Amino acid sequence: MEKDRPKRRKINRKKVMIRLCLVVSVFFVSYFILVNTLVSAALVPSFMEKLEAFERITEESYAAQVQTSDIKNNRTAFQIETREWLETAEIQKLSRKTKDGYTLIAAEFPAGSQEKQKEEVLTEKKKDNPEESHNWVLLLHGYTGWKEEMYPFAYWYHQKGYHVLAPDLRCQGESEGDFIGMGWTDHFDCMIWIDYILSKDPEARIVLHGQSMGAATALMIAGEEELPSQVKAVISDCAYTDAYSMFGEKIKEWFGLPAVPFVDSACLVLKLRGGYDLKDASAIEAVQRSQIPTLFIHGDEDRMISVQMTKDLYEAAVCPKELLIVEGAGHAQSQDKDPDTYYGSIQSFLAQQVH
């Protein structure tokens, strides 16, 4: 009996180790599944819509907006004007392939174009202004958005004589993709549209105008070292400083999970699945390299992206810059809260930069 005890102890220790290994393995597998689900829930629109939490998050996001009558009335008025414009505006649908094989879709509104039935009016305008416009704007929508959201801006720019290009960013709208790019993959994709513009008009003067994630994308584009000189200005409306910080805030707000260790784990999973790191998607690093004149805009009642982020971006920027904080505006509501100041500031800024 005494001789058998060491053997039994070894067997018991072995069983304990096996159980411990199983527990640890189950924990890591469960944790990986949780993080993997978290990444899909935040960055894959088709997956988001299947979640029970999606409707709640949508409702909370809407409730976080400023709901004053002036914002609602101005927004409705612009939507009506935009719909009327779309009835006569020429729209060209564009399709391009990314290097990793995804199809991207954009809408182009050529400057000064209308329906054929208004051809005589156009002919008279050309006599008064025979020089073709070389002004272009690339309009970039926000997180889980689509190009049509930017059509009121397209209408305003088109009225000012700009050619307008409004793409669906990767994995959103009609564009393909596995994951929303948070500005990082998007800023590479947008070079396809800039190249397209330059292929049509080598003398183009290009403005990048983005909202929210689209604004962060525009800032990342502006930070590229080999950016074509034809990119003349950036309008950054309610951008975030970096995707890493935003992801940490949103998983706490939406899913009640701590940023540590989930954000770093999500970065690893996203790098394995999507090929990019959230830490790379940094607008604040980009503005420290950019020389492109930039107008930074933000609403002081923004509860989705803190106005402090735009203030930090403005302070960090080394390019020619201006800052507009719109009082009483929520997230992406500055143009609806005070359209005269919003569009007046843009027009004044671009008059100095696009010539």
Side-chain angles (χ1 to χ4, degrees), residues 183-256:
W184 182 248
T185 52
D186 307 300
H187 94 283
F188 293 118
D189 292 344
C190 285
M191 294 306 299
I192 295 173
W193 301 120
I194 291 173
D195 289 343
Y196 165 77
I197 291 171
L198 296 179
S199 71
K200 289 193 70 174
D201 183 4
E203 299 179 58
R205 298 180 289 264
I206 303 171
V207 175
L208 309 176
H209 183 145
Q211 270 199 326
S212 192
M213 189 186 82
T217 301
L219 295 174
M220 290 180 215
I221 295 170
E224 283 294 301
E225 291 182 1
E226 298 182 3
L227 190 66
S229 61
Q230 289 92 336
V231 177
K232 300 297 184 182
V234 173
I235 309 299
S236 170
D237 185 349
C238 59
Y240 48 74
T241 52
D242 62 294
Y244 183 84
S245 298
M246 283 302 302
F247 199 83
E249 287 183 13
K250 293 310 173 187
I251 65 167
K252 285 191 289 184
E253 181 184 331
W254 292 345
F255 306 109

Side-chain angles (χ1 to χ4, degrees), residues 184 187 219-220 222-225 282 284-292 316-319:
W184 182 248
H187 94 283
L219 295 174
M220 290 180 215
E224 283 294 301
E225 291 182 1
S282 175
I284 201 160
E285 289 183 8
V287 298
Q288 295 174 61
R289 299 187 298 269
S290 172
Q291 297 300 314
I292 309 300
V318 297
C319 59

Side-chain angles (χ1 to χ4, degrees), residues 81-93:
E81 289 179 14
T82 301
R83 283 196 295 268
E84 290 175 351
W85 167 67
L86 286 170
E87 290 176 2
T88 58
E90 179 189 344
I91 307 177
Q92 298 176 5
K93 191 171 182 179

Side-chain angles (χ1 to χ4, degrees), residues 28 34 44 49 109 156 204 220 228 319 330 332 335:
F28 278 108
L34 174 60
V44 182
E49 293 172 5
F109 299 89
W156 184 83
M220 290 180 215
C319 59
Q335 75 282 359

Side-chain angles (χ1 to χ4, degrees), residues 243-354:
Y244 183 84
S245 298
M246 283 302 302
F247 199 83
E249 287 183 13
K250 293 310 173 187
I251 65 167
K252 285 191 289 184
E253 181 184 331
W254 292 345
F255 306 109
L257 297 171
V260 179
F262 284 99
V263 179
D264 285 320
S265 300
C267 286
L268 177 60
V269 170
L270 182 59
K271 198 161 188 176
L272 292 171
R273 289 179 61 192
Y276 79 95
D277 192 331
L278 283 172
K279 293 178 181 177
D280 292 331
S282 175
I284 201 160
E285 289 183 8
V287 298
Q288 295 174 61
R289 299 187 298 269
S290 172
Q291 297 300 314
I292 309 300
T294 302
L295 172 59
F296 294 92
I297 304 173
H298 215 114
D300 71 348
E301 295 294 326
D302 193 333
R303 299 185 187 96
M304 297 180 69
I305 297 177
S306 170
V307 64
Q308 187 59 47
M309 284 196 165
T310 279
K311 291 178 179 178
D312 291 343
L313 286 164
Y314 176 78
E315 289 299 323
V318 297
C319 59
K321 57 190 178 180
E322 292 183 18
L323 177 65
L324 172 63
I325 305 299
V326 179
E327 294 183 6
H331 186 64
Q333 290 183 310
S334 294
Q335 75 282 359
D336 297 324
K337 178 63 181 179
D338 190 350
D340 290 341
T341 299
Y342 184 89
Y343 288 109
S345 297
I346 292 174
Q347 186 168 353
S348 176
F349 181 76
L350 295 182
Q352 301 172 53
Q353 311 301 337
V354 183

Side-chain angles (χ1 to χ4, degrees), residues 14 43 65 117-118 126-127 160 235:
K14 190 174 182 180
L43 299 175
Q65 293 290 67
Q117 65 190 38
K118 296 193 175 183
K126 286 180 181 178
K127 288 178 182 177
K160 300 299 178 184
I235 309 299

Side-chain angles (χ1 to χ4, degrees), residues 45-164:
S46 59
F47 186 88
M48 295 177 198
E49 293 172 5
K50 297 175 184 176
L51 297 177
E52 291 182 7
F54 180 74
E55 187 174 342
R56 172 183 58 80
I57 292 169
T58 302
E59 289 174 356
E60 288 176 358
S61 298
Y62 178 77
Q65 293 290 67
V66 178
Q67 308 292 342
T68 55
S69 59
D70 57 344
I71 288 177
K72 292 179 181 178
N73 292 338
N74 288 331
R75 183 174 181 81
T76 299
F78 260 105
Q79 287 175 337
I80 292 171
E81 289 179 14
T82 301
R83 283 196 295 268
E84 290 175 351
W85 167 67
L86 286 170
E87 290 176 2
T88 58
E90 179 189 344
I91 307 177
Q92 298 176 5
K93 191 171 182 179
L94 306 176
S95 173
R96 292 292 184 277
K97 282 277 189 184
T98 66
K99 289 182 179 179
D100 49 353
Y102 297 115
T103 299
L104 302 178
I105 301 298
E108 180 184 353
F109 299 89
S113 58
Q114 296 290 327
E115 284 185 320
K116 289 183 179 179
Q117 65 190 38
K118 296 193 175 183
E119 196 171 322
E120 292 182 7
V121 176
L122 274 176
T123 303
E124 291 303 315
K125 286 184 179 179
K126 286 180 181 178
K127 288 178 182 177
D128 296 334
N129 185 18
E131 186 176 335
E132 184 182 350
S133 173
H134 293 292
N135 291 345
W136 290 75
V137 62
L138 185 62
L139 295 175
L140 306 175
H141 65 75
Y143 172 75
T144 68
W146 48 87
K147 59 184 177 298
E148 286 80 6
E149 291 180 344
M150 303 303 288
Y151 282 3
F153 301 99
Y155 166 62
W156 184 83
Y157 276 101
H158 197 259
Q159 296 300 105
K160 300 299 178 184
Y162 279 74
H163 301 275
V164 178

Side-chain angles (χ1 to χ4, degrees), residues 28-48:
F28 278 108
V29 169
S30 300
Y31 182 75
F32 177 81
I33 291 172
L34 174 60
V35 174
N36 197 50
T37 302
L38 186 64
V39 169
S40 296
L43 299 175
V44 182
S46 59
F47 186 88
M48 295 177 198

